Amino acid sequence: MSLLFSRASLASLGLALGLSALCLSPSMAQEAAPAPAAPADAAAPAAAPVDPNTVIATVNGQPLTEADLVLAEGELSQQFAQLPPEQRRAAALSAAIEIRVMAAQAVTTGLDKDPDFQRRMAFLQQRALHGEMVEKGVVDKVTDAEVRARYDQEIANTPPVNEVHARHILVKTKEEAEAIIKQLDGGADFQKLANEHTSDPSGKSNGGDLGWFGPGQMVPEFDKAAFALDVGKYTEQPVQSQFGWHVIKLEDKRAKQPPAFDDVKDQAKQAVIRDKYFALVKSLRAGAKVEIPDAKLKKAVDTLESAK
């Protein structure tokens, strides 16, 4: 969780200026030129894990460790986005050193005693602890079984929905559509007529095939007409939409299959996390003494809380 802060964006501006100098430096640009590709059979050995306590540098006698560097890289990742990967470690170390020397000077000049700074620092600590509580007390405690149960619950609570497989012939005028329906009444082949007459470019070579679709995926007029048909039937009257006049044939109908668990497990996990988070907040708020003297503000806060 971030403990960095800015006042009038000055701190981030200083880092941005320093990092932009690295990005624009001619020597750095030359270093960023791609190296010749290694032979295909020369596989790069896996990098050995680095001890987080390894000292990378010392600043005024104080160690700066691998763990500190990893934290700097994570906290400042957006500033490093334009740098080639091989330069980000050096940029992170440079930024970490810059932060330390500036922070030390701030302490020397007494800026750490400023009441406004102390208030903001207390808030940032609380925000960081909030984040740790979410991570350790909520996210890390979510089990695979809970995620699967949430998925099963959502599937069970979702009403069954039909989807249809349809074809259509799109023409510019109602008269054209009526003439096509008359040919169909006389036994003409729908796919052949679609290839010959439809103005839908995607349907000229596949007999007007639209594949499978569910409710709401087509414009309302088309949607209503398609789902009202019996399998194998076509519309007896032309259907008008914003695109023109349609003649629609229903090829098949089936119950729409729910998404596979693996396809939506991340969404299911987020739903579990959200529920656990709000349950934790509710229990903690119930045990906390919160007083808001401003009646109007209290009402607004209560309204927000009741919506969670």
Side-chain angles (χ1 to χ4, degrees):
M1 296 298 155
S2 174
L3 287 177
L4 300 174
F5 66 92
S6 62
R7 187 174 188 178
S9 301
L10 290 177
S12 58
L13 176 61
L15 281 174
L17 290 173
L19 291 171
S20 65
L22 288 177
C23 295
L24 298 175
S25 166
S27 61
M28 294 293 277
Q30 291 171 4
E31 291 173 10
D41 56 350
V50 180
D51 184 345
N53 295 315
T54 300
V55 176
I56 306 300
T58 58
V59 182
N60 294 327
Q62 297 298 313
L64 196 155
T65 67
E66 178 68 26
D68 296 327
L69 187 59
V70 169
L71 180 61
E73 286 185 274
E75 295 290 346
L76 303 172
S77 58
Q78 288 187 342
Q79 286 92 324
F80 301 149
Q82 295 182 0
L83 289 173
E86 64 273 14
Q87 294 177 11
R88 290 174 191 166
R89 182 173 171 84
L93 180 55
S94 176
I97 293 170
E98 179 182 330
I99 289 170
R100 288 212 175 184
V101 297
M102 292 284 280
Q105 181 62 24
V107 172
T108 299
T109 57
L111 293 179
D112 59 320
K113 303 297 191 298
D114 179 78
D116 184 50
F117 168 80
Q118 291 183 343
R119 277 191 294 270
R120 287 183 287 115
M121 199 64 195
F123 174 75
L124 288 170
Q125 183 183 34
Q126 291 165 359
R127 189 173 69 177
L129 287 170
H130 168 274
E132 287 298 303
M133 190 63 192
V134 172
E135 198 70 28
K136 303 295 194 301
V138 179
V139 177
D140 289 351
K141 292 187 176 181
V142 172
T143 66
D144 292 342
E146 288 176 316
V147 176
R148 182 71 201 207
R150 181 53 181 262
Y151 167 81
D152 292 340
Q153 175 190 335
E154 292 292 338
I155 296 302
N157 292 341
T158 302
V161 175
N162 283 333
E163 58 182 358
V164 296
H165 176 197
R167 297 178 185 272
H168 81 138
I169 302 171
L170 176 64
V171 292
K172 292 182 179 180
T173 68
K174 182 178 182 180
E175 290 72 23
E176 289 177 279
E178 288 174 336
I180 289 170
I181 291 173
K182 188 170 293 187
Q183 292 183 65
L184 291 171
D185 291 342
D189 181 74
F190 191 98
Q191 296 185 43
K192 183 178 179 181
L193 290 178
N195 290 339
E196 292 175 354
H197 298 286
T198 189
S199 59
D200 180 359
S202 63
K204 281 187 170 296
S205 60
N206 65 1
D209 193 359
L210 294 170
W212 289 94
F213 57 90
Q217 290 183 249
M218 300 295 179
V219 293
E221 304 88 350
F222 191 103
D223 190 87
K224 181 179 179 180
F227 278 87
L229 288 170
D230 292 328
V231 175
K233 300 296 184 180
Y234 53 85
T235 50
E236 296 179 355
Q237 298 295 328
V239 177
Q240 185 179 21
S241 79
Q242 65 197 72
F243 301 105
W245 293 86
H246 307 263
V247 180
I248 307 167
K249 181 183 178 184
L250 187 67
E251 294 286 347
D252 204 354
K253 185 181 294 187
R254 69 186 180 189
K256 186 176 181 180
Q257 295 301 305
F261 173 69
D262 286 341
D263 293 338
V264 294
K265 64 181 179 182
D266 288 341
Q267 294 96 306
K269 183 175 182 179
Q270 288 302 314
V272 174
I273 290 172
R274 184 187 65 238
D275 289 350
K276 283 180 171 288
Y277 172 79
F278 283 125
L280 177 60
V281 170
K282 185 176 181 180
S283 67
L284 293 175
R285 287 289 296 263
K289 185 179 180 181
V290 179
E291 297 178 355
I292 305 175
D294 186 321
K296 185 177 180 181
L297 180 58
K298 182 180 186 305
K299 182 179 180 180
V301 171
D302 290 343
T303 300
L304 287 175
E305 292 299 320
S306 64
K308 292 180 179 178

